Amino acid sequence: MPADTAAPAADLARYRLGFHVAPERGWLNDPNGLCQFRGNYHAFFQYNPKWPDFDTKYWRHFVSTDLFHWHDEGTALMTDIPEDRSGVYSGSAYVARGMAPDGGDLMCLYYTGNVVYPGGEAAGYDYVHSGREANEILVTSADGIEYSMKHVLLRNADYPTVCTEHVRDPKAWEQNGMLYMLLGARDLDDEGFCLLYESADGVEWAIKSQIYSKNQFGYMWECPNIVQIDGHDFLAVCPQGLEHEKLRRQNMWQAGYFPLPGSILDTVLVDEQTFVEWDHGYDFYAPQVFVDDAGRTILIGWMGAFDGEWTAAPRGLDWCHCLTVPRELSVGADGLLRQQPVAELEALRGEHQTLKLGETAEFDAYRADIEVSGISGAGALTLDDALEISYADGLLTVRFHDQDVAAGRPERSVPLNTLDDLRVVVDTSAVEIYANGGAEVFSTRWFPTGEKMAVCHTFEAATAEAWPLEDAMAHAFA
C-alpha cells in the first residue's frame, strides 16, 4: 500500500508483526543495549512515542527468553538530566560478570546524551562545529529493570581536538582484561572515523587510538561495532555521505564492515575498498552486535530508513519500523561474514509444505519460512505475484511488481556468480531474504492486501519447502 494512502484501522492491523520487535505505537529506530543478561535477552531501541509528531528520543525496552517471544517493558531511559536533554541517543550494553551488589552480573548501559542548543543560525550555530553536546553516559542495572543514577563519562572537551561536535554511539566490550569503547565521529575536515578508548573500570576512559580509512569514506561514521569470531576481527560502521552506485550503496546511508588483517586494538587505518555492506535491501541501518551466553555472535538491525521516499508506513498507521530478526554471524571460506536467522526461529515453524516447481502454494497468514536449496541456474520466487526474488545473468534481484504493496520501491540487484540456495522469511509486513547461506541479504518492508499469501517458484532445485510461522507476539497486541 503506498505510503500516502489511508486505510481503515482494521486493515492496518493486518501489518502487525508476529516475531519482529516493533512498538505498539510510535517510531522505532536504532537497536541499543543488546545483551543476554541473567538468562534473558534484552533489546532496547530508539523510540519516539509521539510519531508522526516530533518528540525527543528515548530508549524503549523489550525482553525475551528465546529472541522471538518478546515482552514490552516500557520506556527505560528518559531525558532527565541536562546532559541528555535533547535525546537519549544510541549506545550499547556491557555485562560485568559478578559485579552487582548481590554478586551476580551487572548490566552496564553506555549511551550518548544529545544536547542541541536553541537559536540556530541566528545564534551562530551550525550544529556540526557549534551548538551541540555529545555526552557519553553510563547507567547500570542489577536486574535489567531498575536503573542507577546517570554518570557522565565524556564531554565535548574530552574528545581529540580533530573532532567536530558529532561524536556518538558508544560500543563497549571487554578484551584482554581491559574495557574498550568505540565511538563514531566526524572530524574537522568532514571525514568519518572512529575513536577507540580504553578503561580499567568502565568509568575512567582514556583515548587509545583513532581509526581512519586510507581515503575519505563518508563524512561521519555512526554506530560502530566490533565483530570478533574465530580469531577474525571486523570493524562495523555506518558511513554517511557515500556516493550511490548502480549495484551498491543505494540507501540514504550505508551499513557495513571492514575485515581487519589483525586486531582491532592495533588498527589505525582501514582500506575503504574492503568495505562490505551488511544488507542490500531498502530497510536496513544501524545494526548492533552482541555475544550471548552460548558464545554466538548475534546481529540485530533497524529495519527502517530515514529516507522520505522509503517511508514504509501507510498513512494512518500509528507505529513505524521494526528490528530485524536476530541473525547469527559466522565467517565464510572467503573470510567474509555470513548472516542467518538464529536457530530459535525454527521453533516457530508449523507443518512442513513442499513447494512444487511452477505451482502456487497458499498460506493462511503472511508468516512463513521458505527455503530453496541446491539451485541450478536461473529462476524466481514470487510472493503474491507482487514481490519477486529472481536470479539471472549473474544478478540476484529483488523486484516489486505491484506498487500497491511496495511503498514506492522499484528493484534492487547484487552481482552473484551463482545462486546455490535461498531463504525467505516473511512476517506480515516484513520480508528478509538470505542467499547462499547468508552471504547476501536483502531486508524490506511491504504491505500486502491479500487474504492468503501465494508463493510460487521456478527454480530447478534439489529441495523447495516452506513452513508457516507462529505469531509469537500475539500476546503483546491482544
Side-chain angles (χ1 to χ4, degrees), residues 1-3 282 309-310 403 405-410:
M1 180 176 297
Y282 299 92
E309 65 179 309
W310 312 129
Q403 287 302 305
V405 308
R409 292 119 192 273

Side-chain angles (χ1 to χ4, degrees), residues 141-425:
S141 177
D143 60 6
I145 302 297
E146 300 293 330
Y147 305 96
S148 70
M149 299 285 289
K150 296 176 178 179
H151 188 138
V152 181
L153 307 175
L154 298 170
R155 304 173 186 269
N156 286 15
D158 298 312
Y159 306 128
T161 57
V162 299
C163 294
T164 63
E165 293 177 357
H166 282 248
V167 178
R168 54 182 172 270
D169 309 335
K171 168 62 180 179
W173 78 100
E174 182 180 6
Q175 185 171 343
N176 301 334
M178 294 286 288
L179 292 179
Y180 294 91
M181 177 193 292
L182 282 167
L183 288 168
R186 175 178 182 169
D187 78 5
L188 296 173
D189 293 322
D190 294 327
E191 289 195 42
F193 71 113
C194 283
L195 303 173
L196 179 61
Y197 282 80
E198 61 182 354
S199 173
D201 60 6
V203 176
E204 299 293 332
W205 294 87
I207 187 72
K208 175 176 172 58
S209 61
Q210 300 170 27
I211 304 174
Y212 275 85
S213 52
K214 291 182 178 179
N215 298 288
Q216 183 175 6
F217 194 65
Y219 61 78
M220 171 71 193
W221 289 0
E222 291 195 308
C223 306
N225 268 257
I226 177 64
V227 178
Q228 297 175 310
I229 304 177
D230 299 334
H232 300 269
D233 281 14
F234 304 83
L235 172 63
V237 298
C238 293
Q240 297 178 323
L242 300 184
E243 291 187 6
H244 301 307
E245 299 181 9
K246 183 177 181 180
L247 295 176
R248 60 178 182 167
R249 303 175 188 169
Q250 293 295 298
N251 288 333
M252 178 178 178
W253 295 324
Q254 317 312 317
Y257 63 88
F258 303 101
L260 303 180
S263 168
I264 181 69
L265 302 184
D266 301 322
T267 299
V268 295
L269 202 63
V270 296
D271 183 352
E272 69 281 356
Q273 297 300 316
T274 67
F275 185 75
V276 180
E277 290 181 75
W278 286 114
D279 194 298
H280 302 280
Y282 299 92
D283 294 285
F284 188 87
Y285 193 67
Q288 188 166 112
V289 176
F290 72 103
V291 179
D292 74 355
D293 292 346
R296 298 181 299 179
T297 301
I298 298 174
L299 175 148
I300 299 178
W302 170 32
M303 202 166 168
F306 288 112
D307 313 42
E309 65 179 309
W310 312 129
T311 55
R315 186 158 56 88
L317 205 65
D318 62 358
W319 61 280
C320 193
H321 303 316
C322 63
L323 301 183
T324 66
V325 298
R327 303 171 179 178
E328 183 175 359
L329 302 182
S330 60
V331 180
D334 58 0
L336 302 181
L337 292 168
R338 304 290 188 265
Q339 307 172 63
Q340 282 286 354
V342 294
E344 287 90 336
L345 179 64
E346 297 179 15
L348 303 184
R349 288 176 171 178
E351 186 175 352
H352 170 269
Q353 186 169 348
T354 298
L355 301 178
K356 297 180 179 180
L357 177 66
E359 296 185 11
T360 298
E362 284 193 341
F363 292 80
D364 290 337
Y366 282 82
R367 289 187 302 276
D369 192 358
I370 304 163
E371 293 188 357
V372 184
S373 302
I375 296 172
S376 300
L381 186 149
T382 59
L383 306 177
D384 281 7
D385 291 326
L387 175 57
E388 177 187 83
I389 303 118
S390 65
Y391 179 70
D393 301 322
L395 288 179
L396 178 65
T397 300
V398 176
R399 177 184 296 112
F400 281 96
H401 291 299
D402 185 351
Q403 287 302 305
D404 285 341
V405 308
R409 292 119 192 273
E411 67 178 53
R412 291 279 177 87
S413 297
V414 62
L416 205 61
N417 289 332
T418 61
L419 178 63
D420 303 314
D421 56 74
L422 188 65
R423 184 175 184 181
V424 181
V425 177

Side-chain angles (χ1 to χ4, degrees), residues 110-130:
Y110 294 91
Y111 73 92
T112 299
N114 185 46
V115 177
V116 177
Y117 300 155
E121 291 183 6
Y125 301 138
D126 66 2
Y127 299 113
V128 176
H129 304 88
S130 61

Side-chain angles (χ1 to χ4, degrees), residues 423-440:
R423 184 175 184 181
V424 181
V425 177
V426 184
D427 183 9
T428 61
S429 58
V431 181
E432 298 185 41
I433 300 158
Y434 302 83
N436 290 355
E440 305 293 350

